[in-house]
Amino acid sequence: MWSTDSLKNRVENFINNTSGNGYRILSVSFGVNMWWMPTAYITVEKTVNN
């Protein structure tokens, strides 16, 4: 099970790596799943360079 601090750090690293690879972060939200475990929901979009 994730602690909220551990999850926050993993999300921050994921966002930094993902945005550096050409993706745009659309939304980030935190919640809990059906077992009350902290969960992050991240929506990304692949950017297209013309």
Side-chain angles (χ1 to χ4, degrees):
M1 189 173 347
W2 301 109
S3 72
T4 52
D5 286 335
S6 168
L7 180 61
K8 180 186 64 95
N9 291 336
R10 288 179 55 100
V11 167
E12 184 176 3
N13 289 335
F14 175 82
I15 289 171
N16 290 336
N17 291 336
T18 303
S19 62
N21 289 326
Y23 289 86
R24 185 170 69 137
I25 307 302
L26 299 178
S27 69
V28 178
S29 62
F30 293 90
V32 292
N33 65 15
M34 61 190 273
W35 297 284
W36 293 98
M37 293 171 45
T39 307
Y41 303 93
I42 305 168
T43 306
V44 299
E45 174 182 65
K46 180 68 174 172
T47 56
V48 178
N49 297 328
N50 291 333

